[in-house]
């Protein structure tokens, strides 16, 4: 998750599937997704398929003097 509070992609999907955590700053449009376990599995598999480590580790695409990361 953006702040590192959730460790895995599956946990992030499950978090949003539950509707996130209630807080005063949450958008009123955030609601539980109502995905089945199979749909969660499918969504996670799809999102993982979008990861291209050959791109994220390509030295030609790293910032000058910077370090790249791998997911």
């Amino acid at each position: 998750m953006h702040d590192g509070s959730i460790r895995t992609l599956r946990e992030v999907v499950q978090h949003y599937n539950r509707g996130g955590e209630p807080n005063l700053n949450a958008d009123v449009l955030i609601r539980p997704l109502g995905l089945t376990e199979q749909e969660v599995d499918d969504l996670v598999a799809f999102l993982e398929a979008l990861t291209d480590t050959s791109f994220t580790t390509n030295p030609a695409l790293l910032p000058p003097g910077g370090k790249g990361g791998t997911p």
Side-chain angles (χ1 to χ4, degrees):
M1 189 162 199
H2 70 281
D3 64 358
S5 65
I6 300 178
R7 296 183 56 166
T8 68
L9 180 58
R10 169 171 283 290
E11 290 171 348
V12 171
V13 171
Q14 290 171 328
H15 169 79
Y16 284 109
N17 195 36
R18 290 188 302 270
E21 296 294 327
N23 70 69
L24 296 174
N25 297 316
D27 190 300
V28 296
L29 298 176
I30 296 176
R31 300 168 196 244
L33 299 174
L35 301 175
T36 66
E37 281 302 310
Q38 183 61 56
E39 290 170 326
V40 169
D41 291 343
D42 293 345
L43 179 56
V44 170
F46 170 74
L47 293 171
E48 287 175 342
L50 299 176
T51 301
D52 181 358
T53 56
S54 67
F55 177 82
T56 60
T57 59
N58 183 335
L61 302 173
L62 297 178
K67 296 179 182 177
T70 56

